[in-house]
Amino acid sequence: MAAAKKAVLGPLVGAVDQGTSSTRFLSSTVTECCLSDSARKLALKVFNSKTAELLSHHQVEIKQEFPKEGWVEQDPMEILQSVYECIEKTCEKLGQLNIDISNIKAIGVSNQRETTVVWDKLTGEPLYNALVWLDLRTQSTVETLSKRIPGNNNFVKSKTGLPLSTYFSAVKLRWLLDNVTKVQKAVKEDRALFGTIDSWLIWSLTGGANGGVHCTDVTNASRTMLFNIHSLEWDKDLCEFFDIPMKILPNVRSSSEIYGLMKAGALEGVPISGCLGDQSAALVGQMCFQDGQAKNTYGTGCFLLCNTGRKCVFSDHGLLTTVAYKLGRDKPVYYALEGSVAIAGAVIRWLRDNLGIIKTSEEIEKLAKEVGTSYGCYFVPAFSGLYAPYWEPSARGIICGLTQFTNKCHVAFAALEAVCFQTREILDAMNRDCGIPLSHLQVDGGMTNNKILMQLQADILYIPVVKPSMPETTALGAAMAAGAAEGVGVWSLEPEDLSAVTMERFEPQINAEESEIRYSTWKKAVMKSMGWVTTQSAESGDPSIFCSLPLGFFIVSSMVMLIGARYISGTL
């Protein structure tokens, strides 16, 4: 019997999408490819270029470790192995579909940003777990460094576009250098390499200890607090301020060029030629190439980026200035204003894993739909403090406005509203900074499958919310960058060559007055969430903190425990 003929779909482009709680590998044809967000699992998805039909996918969940209160870590080797597994499984599935994997001409990488890894360049072994962007252990480091910045001359922000915060890589790296003997020894012996997840993956996939390429792209570099976003170079003054040895930093490249070749596995010899931090990748995947175009990604956190073109726009309202993309060595750099929310999809996981209110993340929509209102219940999920526009590390999560009538459905609805209210705060700040209010909001990410959430978002913003019919835009952006790289050239990013994407539109369904009342009550709840922890208590888990907490803490804690107990007993 003759072997089945392999299907020919034209050039394919693969994308590794390594998110906070997942890693994915996706393969797509060049003309229509919609790939991935930072969702719960690592996946490979394959799309037909003519119909955008999903041909295959594979996902692997990534664990998070919480060794102490406020600490968030991941195993870099688990992340790397998940990438290899997804690539292999995807290639197997392509074979089963009679699709020749030799059609994969390039690979792009999209990654969770700021998460910090230090490894041994001789053995290829991580010297400590990756410190995840959500990690809060460096608050005392931030406070100490803040005292060294003159009040009228914040040179860190002027060079990087970033506030001094636990969020970014420099202070995480400083903690590793101060506290991990293995890291200290490796730096002294010139064996240590630093990188965000993209650097760790590219170095490992291109050979690791046997000639791996140690590099990053401008978008990821711009999230370290060590990179000058004007000169596009590591900044000597910043490295001295944070006391970071420059020899351990990766080479900075554009977001679209050949970095090296895969050195193992089914795709050995395929060039890795695209690299973007996940939010920049989503901006590219949403094709926001014009000044003033914006997108919001709903993943573990929530990230609203607005393209500001070839000029840096500095915010007066708590937003970040960041590098959007640089799509080629000889191409210009583009910048963005960004509003970052720490907790979005993570609040749904918290309701599932910590309170047991839901068994699957998808159940949240059903619960919220049952009541159609929070009935005056408000949820501020400041589990890692508040990011934009407040940058308030002392904040902690609260659920308020509870009555005896409140049940798990109202809490579920309030959790979805919280995501939307946080986005509204960022959008308001962005409108003030840019001077031209957005007429609509483009959205992507796994949470956008929740229609209740999308309608709530339109109601709370009081503008239309528009999502692509295939919301997997993060990996699409990485694939676009990889396919367009010089030496690959299977993808054109010229405006006339980009095909239109089918969109789903959600229009506001409440009046503006009601929207404003709900929003103003939310802001009152936010104020109540602030000032709840001290540096010492946040870092040590010192139980004495409870002696100084307001009565509201114990009331809310009791109510939450009551809700959990009633749920377990079946009375809720």
Side-chain angles (χ1 to χ4, degrees):
M1 184 175 175
K5 187 177 179 180
K6 295 287 186 182
V8 179
L9 297 174
L12 308 178
V13 180
V16 172
D17 183 10
Q18 206 297 300
T20 309
S21 43
S22 73
T23 309
R24 305 176 173 217
F25 179 72
L26 308 96
S27 174
S28 160
T29 54
V30 225
T31 57
E32 287 185 63
C33 163
C34 300
L35 303 176
S36 119
D37 60 31
S38 345
R40 283 202 50 69
K41 300 179 172 63
L42 170 55
L44 169 62
K45 298 183 181 177
V46 181
F47 294 82
N48 183 301
S49 64
K50 295 178 181 177
T51 64
E53 177 189 2
L54 179 62
L55 302 178
S56 172
H57 75 279
H58 184 75
Q59 301 190 186
V60 176
E61 189 166 342
I62 305 298
K63 294 175 189 169
Q64 294 182 36
E65 299 176 22
F66 307 95
K68 295 184 182 180
E69 176 66 28
W71 291 29
V72 189
E73 299 179 2
Q74 290 179 322
D75 180 355
M77 291 305 296
E78 181 189 358
I79 291 173
L80 177 60
Q81 290 307 314
S82 70
V83 171
Y84 279 123
E85 178 181 342
C86 283
I87 290 174
E88 296 303 312
K89 293 290 186 183
T90 299
C91 289
E92 285 177 18
K93 292 176 182 180
L94 288 172
Q96 291 165 7
L97 293 167
N98 292 324
I99 296 171
D100 193 339
I101 63 171
S102 68
N103 286 332
I104 298 178
K105 303 301 182 186
I107 296 168
V109 174
S110 167
N111 58 285
Q112 55 172 308
R113 304 168 302 169
E114 300 94 21
T115 297
T116 299
V117 188
V118 178
W119 67 93
D120 188 319
K121 67 182 179 183
L122 300 182
T123 66
E125 294 293 318
L127 297 168
Y128 192 80
N129 272 346
L131 303 192
V132 177
W133 57 278
L134 285 164
D135 191 282
L136 293 174
R137 76 186 69 189
T138 56
Q139 185 54 38
S140 64
T141 305
V142 168
E143 291 178 5
T144 300
L145 290 169
S146 294
K147 294 172 185 174
R148 292 172 47 197
I149 298 177
N152 60 350
N153 180 26
N154 190 341
F155 73 98
V156 173
K157 187 172 182 181
S158 66
K159 286 172 178 279
T160 67
L162 310 174
L164 196 55
S165 166
T166 60
Y167 184 14
F168 307 107
S169 307
V171 290
K172 300 180 192 300
L173 179 53
R174 183 67 258 151
W175 187 91
L176 290 168
L177 290 166
D178 288 338
N179 293 279
V180 181
T181 304
K182 278 186 175 182
V183 172
Q184 295 166 351
K185 190 168 186 286
V187 170
K188 187 175 180 181
E189 295 173 359
D190 197 25
R191 293 184 287 109
L193 296 178
F194 153 79
T196 42
I197 294 295
D198 58 306
S199 297
W200 163 242
L201 292 180
I202 292 173
W203 184 83
S204 300
L205 295 172
T206 58
N210 298 312
V213 178
H214 187 216
C215 70
T216 188
D217 90 300
V218 289
T219 68
N220 283 294
S222 74
R223 311 298 292 190
T224 61
M225 260 191 328
L226 301 171
F227 184 72
N228 189 314
I229 61 174
H230 310 286
S231 66
L232 303 183
E233 295 176 335
W234 298 120
D235 191 284
K236 187 171 181 289
D237 293 338
L238 289 170
C239 289
E240 287 177 357
F241 177 73
F242 290 104
D243 194 18
I244 302 295
M246 295 184 76
K247 65 183 180 180
I248 71 174
L249 304 180
N251 293 319
V252 182
R253 312 274 284 272
S254 77
S255 307
S256 178
E257 61 180 272
I258 295 176
Y259 312 111
L261 306 180
M262 288 282 293
K263 288 296 173 65
L267 299 181
E268 184 175 357
V270 176
I272 300 174
S273 54
C275 180
L276 290 154
D278 52 8
Q279 303 312 317
S280 288
L283 192 74
V284 171
Q286 286 267 31
M287 301 180 197
C288 294
F289 294 127
Q290 303 300 316
D291 294 15
Q293 289 186 310
K295 68 87 204 172
N296 197 31
T297 297
Y298 299 77
T300 298
C302 205
F303 303 91
L304 179 55
L305 268 69
C306 180
N307 190 330
T308 62
R310 295 173 65 176
K311 62 180 180 181
C312 290
V313 175
F314 283 87
S315 173
D316 296 320
H317 301 96
L319 303 182
L320 312 178
T321 304
T322 196
V323 174
Y325 51 81
K326 186 179 188 295
L327 296 173
R329 274 181 285 194
D330 301 322
K331 300 289 186 180
V333 63
Y334 283 76
Y335 297 94
L337 272 177
E338 174 175 338
S340 308
V341 169
I343 303 296
V347 74
I348 312 305
R349 280 173 41 210
W350 183 81
L351 291 175
R352 184 195 69 182
D353 298 341
N354 292 41
L355 288 194
I357 284 177
I358 52 176
K359 292 181 180 178
T360 67
S361 297
E362 291 72 26
E363 284 180 35
I364 191 87
E365 184 173 7
K366 181 182 176 184
L367 287 184
K369 191 174 182 179
E370 281 185 30
V371 287
T373 176
S374 67
Y375 200 76
C377 173
Y378 286 83
F379 192 159
V380 183
F383 302 151
S384 297
L386 289 169
Y387 283 15
Y390 300 101
W391 298 105
E392 180 50 70
S394 72
R396 284 298 179 271
I398 65 168
I399 303 173
C400 56
L402 300 173
T403 71
Q404 286 183 308
F405 182 73
T406 306
N407 63 34
K408 63 181 180 180
C409 296
H410 299 118
V411 173
F413 195 96
L416 295 182
E417 276 193 317
V419 175
C420 301
F421 284 131
Q422 290 178 105
T423 298
R424 165 76 187 266
E425 293 202 284
I426 290 172
L427 193 67
D428 283 357
M430 199 162 282
N431 287 339
R432 288 194 292 269
D433 281 325
C434 294
I436 304 173
L438 292 180
S439 60
H440 66 278
L441 181 65
Q442 292 177 227
V443 300
D444 60 76
M447 291 185 78
T448 62
N449 292 323
N450 186 322
K451 292 186 182 298
I452 296 286
L453 177 69
M454 292 294 94
Q455 186 58 56
L456 273 173
Q457 189 67 89
D459 290 345
I460 289 167
L461 297 180
Y462 210 66
I463 60 173
V465 167
V466 180
K467 62 169 280 195
S469 55
M470 189 71 70
E472 311 268 13
T473 56
T474 303
L476 172 58
M480 289 166 67
E486 183 180 351
V488 178
V490 297
W491 209 314
S492 170
L493 300 185
E494 296 302 320
E496 62 272 16
D497 297 322
L498 296 171
S499 57
V501 179
T502 305
M503 297 286 190
E504 185 177 3
R505 191 176 178 94
F506 296 84
E507 299 283 349
Q509 293 182 355
I510 64 173
N511 62 52
E513 183 180 2
E514 183 183 347
S515 179
E516 288 303 318
I517 290 170
R518 286 159 67 175
Y519 182 47
S520 63
T521 309
W522 154 264
K523 290 180 78 70
K524 194 160 71 171
V526 170
M527 293 300 109
K528 300 287 186 185
S529 76
M530 293 186 187
W532 285 52
V533 293
T534 64
T535 301
Q536 181 183 1
S537 63
E539 296 188 353
S540 66
D542 184 356
S544 66
I545 178 179
F546 294 102
C547 300
S548 60
L549 283 181
L551 179 61
F553 171 82
F554 299 101
I555 294 172
V556 171
S557 297
S558 299
M559 289 301 297
V560 169
M561 287 188 285
L562 176 61
I563 291 170
R566 288 177 64 193
Y567 173 77
I568 292 168
S569 67
T571 61
L572 187 62

